């Protein structure tokens, strides 16, 4: 996948659990796990904005592009 999701990195930096982040963002822990593990096909901007607000970061801290080999 060309888009790499670094939500787990920001979660570790902010010392927040999946359950707490999911609750504060307003999504299920299962949906957060799908995003966190890079299995999501899309993410809503409202969800991305909520993640950034709770984690106090920028979208680029959560998502990055990597060239495919």
């Amino acid at each position: 996948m060309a888009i790499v999701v670094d939500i787990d990195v920001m979660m570790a930096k902010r010392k927040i659990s999946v359950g707490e982040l999911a609750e504060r963002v307003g999504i299920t822990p299962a949906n957060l796990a799908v995003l966190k593990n890079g299995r999501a096909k899309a993410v809503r901007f409202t969800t991305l904005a909520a993640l950034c607000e709770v984690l106090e970061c920028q979208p680029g801290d959560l998502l990055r592009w990597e060239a495919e080999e």
Side-chain angles (χ1 to χ4, degrees), residues 5 18-19 22 25 28 33 36 53 60-61 66 69:
V5 182
V18 170
V25 169
T28 66
K36 188 171 84 71
E53 182 177 351
D61 296 325
E66 222 175 63
E69 294 182 16

Side-chain angles (χ1 to χ4, degrees), residues 18-38:
V18 170
E20 182 181 352
L21 181 58
E23 183 178 327
R24 291 178 60 188
V25 169
I27 60 175
T28 66
N31 283 341
L32 180 57
V34 168
L35 283 172
K36 188 171 84 71
N37 296 324

Side-chain angles (χ1 to χ4, degrees), residues 4-64:
V4 179
V5 182
D6 289 327
I7 292 174
D8 54 344
V9 174
M10 289 306 297
M11 288 175 58
K13 286 182 180 179
R14 303 295 188 249
K15 296 181 172 84
I16 188 169
S17 69
V18 170
E20 182 181 352
L21 181 58
E23 183 178 327
R24 291 178 60 188
V25 169
I27 60 175
T28 66
N31 283 341
L32 180 57
V34 168
L35 283 172
K36 188 171 84 71
N37 296 324
R39 294 189 318 259
K41 301 249 186 244
V43 61
R44 292 176 190 242
F45 281 168
T46 53
T47 302
L48 184 58
L51 285 165
C52 289
E53 182 177 351
V54 172
L55 294 171
E56 298 177 350
C57 65
Q58 294 295 312
D61 296 325
L62 302 178
L63 304 171
R64 62 187 162 88

